[in-house]
Amino acid sequence: MFQFIARLAGAVIGVALCYMVWRRVWLLFLHPSQYVQLFQRILSNPEIPQEELRLEYENEKKPIQVLVLGDIGRSPRMQYHAISAGKHGAQVDIIGYRESELHPDLLANPLISVVALPAVPWMLRTDNKILFLVLGPLKVLWQSWSLWYALAYRTKPAKWLIVQNPPSIPTLAIASTVCSFRNTLLVIDWHNYGWTILALKLGESHILVRIAKWYEGFFGRFATHHWTVTHALAQHLKHNMLVRPPINLWMNAYPRHLIQTLHDRPARHFQPLSPEQREEFLHQCPVTSKYASSVIEEKTRLLVSSTSWTPDEDFSLLLEALVMYSRGRPSNAPSILAIITGKGPRKQYYEKEIQRLAEQNQLTGVTVLTAWLSTQDYASLLGAADLGVSLHTSSSGLDLPMKVVDMFGAGLPVVGWDRFEAWKELVTEGVNGRGFGNAEELSLILLELFTDTKKLRMLKEGALQEGSNDWDYEWDPVAGRCLGISYQARTLMTEYE
């Protein structure tokens, strides 16, 4: 008897919960949302021809939305999307966390609006693997609601929604759902695969990683347009992740995914400095002023690296190489001033490690400083430096670090970790940069280039040539053409070649 009553009570509660969920979902989708007007027209007059509704909806001037589930200020590529679209006269909403300084061109354009997401509570953030399994789902729920509220309630319906991936959870699910209800075309800007980054924490065979991989492929099919940062990623996406046709629940249907490569290019503010500009910056910048004279006289070489202090960039490799350089430095080799810019979770750990090595006299002739600079100061630092370093290892082997592109824009040659497939799409060995696979190779390259000014000068010439094509040169024929707003063309590319 007790079991029967318990089951009956459970069934009643279950039905009640389902009803409440249904009511809440209905209200969530339709009641105060800014896309209710079109649905009301359809419901009030079902006889309106679908083609008439479609034309009416498409002719209405609607904004372009750019979404990044991260700090907008530390997402240069997504800022560049917004700036380029605004430059062509489009109304743009850029959505993400506002934690650091934004690009000046983003703030100066009245057509661009910044929609800030509420920050994730500190108690939901952790690097501990065990706590991550508990707090991770709670963090996803928080992000899901804040994303939904921003996309469905705080902003007007858009014609295009450009989403950065990764992070893919919960971005792709929320974005594809909103796009389906709002008749918005979804564009995924693939920087990498989210599941490969998760695999760095949990291991590739972990059940959550396998679920994340399926999730990314499934919700990726809701987008009909895809931009990738490399040809290698585009080919992998086409033949491994998006082999089935797009899923589209509204009026727009495409028989296949439109996959195009949109290489990163430097923004216009990344420019080489003249000798006079370089000297002025080195003396005025608080980080370099103490060493300016020595750098100008080439007694000290200025080495610059930018990092987000995450597991896919092994900063200990650079420290180990600098220790080797210090030990084996001949008398004719210059000292090194290494400036590391950026913010991230492991910054404090490495700052303590740098201090420890300095106290143990393992960095004789080498000074390592960390800094967080404004957009313009960072661009000037790259223009003033002698050599850039990239420690990006690529969790998938298919993406490229944008920092290298920025360095080329400033005419700065690069040495970087080259043990992944896509590296050769950006860096030509011995022409605009050099590649290494371990700390010993990096230390030997530093010693070679800093004692042979001719080789370093040749690399600089190659970097200047590579950086001569700016972001607009790459963006207009691909993204601008896709969105129908560029001055070059307004027809869509039919498929990725």
Side-chain angles (χ1 to χ4, degrees):
M1 185 66 179
F2 175 77
Q3 290 182 349
F4 172 76
I5 294 173
R7 288 178 181 176
L8 181 62
V12 171
I13 293 172
V15 171
L17 286 174
C18 288
Y19 176 76
M20 290 173 66
V21 168
W22 178 83
R23 292 288 295 177
R24 285 182 178 273
V25 167
W26 177 260
L27 291 173
L28 187 66
F29 282 152
L30 299 182
H31 179 50
S33 169
Q34 294 185 26
Y35 54 86
V36 67
Q37 294 179 357
L38 182 63
F39 283 91
Q40 286 178 338
R41 283 209 58 198
I42 296 172
L43 293 173
S44 63
N45 190 357
E47 303 301 323
I48 298 177
Q50 188 182 65
E51 183 66 16
E52 181 182 326
L53 281 172
R54 186 183 68 81
L55 290 174
E56 178 184 333
Y57 188 81
E58 289 185 351
N59 289 333
E60 179 188 351
K61 189 172 182 180
K62 296 180 291 296
I64 294 171
Q65 292 178 337
V66 179
L67 171 63
V68 51
L69 191 59
D71 181 14
I72 299 173
R74 293 163 61 193
S75 305
R77 182 177 168 102
M78 304 311 286
Q79 291 189 84
Y80 297 164
H81 283 315
I83 292 168
S84 295
K87 198 185 304 180
H88 287 300
Q91 186 76 39
V92 183
D93 294 328
I94 183 165
I95 305 164
Y97 299 118
R98 190 167 183 176
E99 298 173 348
S100 56
E101 182 185 5
L102 302 182
H103 194 289
D105 291 349
L106 196 74
L107 300 174
N109 193 328
L111 293 174
I112 302 175
S113 301
V114 178
V115 181
L117 296 173
V120 176
W122 64 269
M123 68 279 293
L124 298 181
R125 306 177 189 180
T126 182
D127 289 327
N128 185 284
K129 288 185 178 181
I130 298 175
L131 288 177
F132 177 77
L133 297 176
V134 178
L135 298 180
L138 297 177
K139 179 181 176 181
V140 169
L141 288 175
W142 171 274
Q143 292 176 323
S144 297
W145 169 249
S146 61
L147 270 178
W148 177 267
Y149 189 70
L151 291 173
Y153 292 85
R154 295 174 60 192
T155 57
K156 294 181 179 180
K159 183 175 182 180
W160 299 92
L161 173 58
I162 304 169
V163 176
Q164 174 184 306
N165 186 75
S168 53
I169 301 174
T171 316
L172 295 186
I174 300 300
S176 58
T177 303
V178 171
C179 286
S180 296
F181 276 91
R182 283 192 156 184
N183 191 23
T184 295
L185 291 172
L186 177 61
V187 181
I188 300 178
D189 190 30
W190 296 83
H191 298 194
N192 200 350
Y193 290 133
W195 66 269
T196 63
I197 296 175
L198 184 62
L200 293 176
K201 278 187 176 182
L202 304 178
E204 194 168 338
S205 61
H206 197 282
I207 183 65
L208 290 181
V209 175
R210 284 183 284 174
I211 292 172
K213 184 177 181 180
W214 170 86
Y215 165 95
E216 209 161 351
F218 176 77
F219 283 103
R221 291 173 58 210
F222 282 85
T224 50
H225 299 72
H226 304 264
W227 303 333
T228 64
V229 295
T230 65
H231 289 307
L233 183 54
Q235 289 296 327
H236 190 275
L237 196 64
K238 183 176 181 179
H239 297 295
N240 295 275
M241 295 291 284
L242 300 177
V243 294
R244 301 173 73 181
I247 300 172
N248 200 288
L249 304 180
W250 194 254
M251 304 171 187
N252 301 300
Y254 290 83
R256 62 178 66 86
H257 297 278
L258 304 178
I259 304 174
Q260 299 169 269
T261 300
L262 176 55
H263 283 121
D264 284 322
R265 290 292 176 191
R268 291 185 184 276
H269 64 280
F270 287 101
Q271 297 287 336
L273 299 183
S274 66
E276 295 77 18
Q277 290 173 323
R278 181 175 187 255
E279 182 175 348
E280 181 183 359
F281 172 77
L282 289 173
H283 280 292
Q284 289 184 353
C285 180
V287 186
T288 60
S289 58
K290 181 180 176 181
Y291 311 91
S293 298
S294 182
V295 172
I296 294 168
E297 295 170 5
E298 297 186 356
K299 295 178 181 178
T300 298
R301 289 296 188 178
L302 178 54
L303 192 71
V304 174
S305 183
S306 173
T307 179
S308 53
W309 304 98
T310 52
D312 63 344
E313 291 184 317
D314 185 7
F315 186 69
S316 61
L317 190 149
L318 176 58
L319 287 182
E320 189 178 345
L322 292 175
V323 169
M324 291 181 182
Y325 181 91
S326 176
R327 289 174 183 169
R329 184 168 71 104
S331 57
N332 66 328
S335 59
I336 291 178
L337 170 61
I339 299 178
I340 317 300
T341 69
K343 292 180 180 179
R346 306 187 73 188
K347 180 178 179 179
Q348 193 173 22
Y349 166 80
Y350 279 114
E351 285 179 330
K352 291 180 180 178
E353 184 66 12
I354 293 167
Q355 185 178 356
R356 183 186 68 82
L357 291 173
E359 290 173 351
Q360 294 177 356
N361 296 319
Q362 295 191 55
L363 291 174
T364 304
V366 175
T367 303
V368 184
L369 304 176
T370 61
W372 175 252
L373 302 174
S374 68
T375 301
Q376 188 54 56
D377 282 349
Y378 173 64
S380 297
L381 178 66
L382 296 187
D386 295 299
L387 190 64
V389 177
S390 170
L391 300 172
H392 182 77
T393 55
S394 180
S395 60
S396 65
L398 302 171
D399 67 317
L400 285 171
M402 190 165 184
K403 70 190 77 176
V404 175
V405 178
D406 295 337
M407 290 173 182
F408 284 158
L412 180 65
V414 177
V415 293
W417 175 273
D418 66 351
R419 302 303 197 261
F420 58 97
E421 181 182 349
W423 174 257
K424 293 180 181 179
E425 286 190 33
L426 183 60
V427 178
T428 304
E429 184 69 20
V431 176
N432 53 25
R434 298 281 295 273
F436 60 85
N438 54 52
E440 184 179 1
E441 290 180 11
L442 175 56
S443 67
L444 291 175
I445 291 172
L446 295 178
L447 190 61
E448 177 186 349
L449 295 179
F450 288 164
T451 55
D452 190 337
T453 56
K454 185 178 179 181
K455 288 184 179 179
L456 186 60
R457 195 180 303 115
M458 286 178 60
L459 290 183
K460 187 172 183 64
E461 291 173 359
L464 286 167
Q465 180 64 35
E466 180 64 31
S468 60
N469 295 328
D470 64 14
W471 170 259
D472 291 333
Y473 177 87
E474 186 77 20
W475 193 88
D476 282 356
V478 178
R481 189 180 186 189
C482 173
L483 301 175
I485 60 174
S486 74
Y487 299 139
Q488 298 184 4
R490 295 183 182 273
T491 57
L492 288 177
M493 189 175 179
T494 54
E495 74 179 317
Y496 171 78
E497 300 258 326

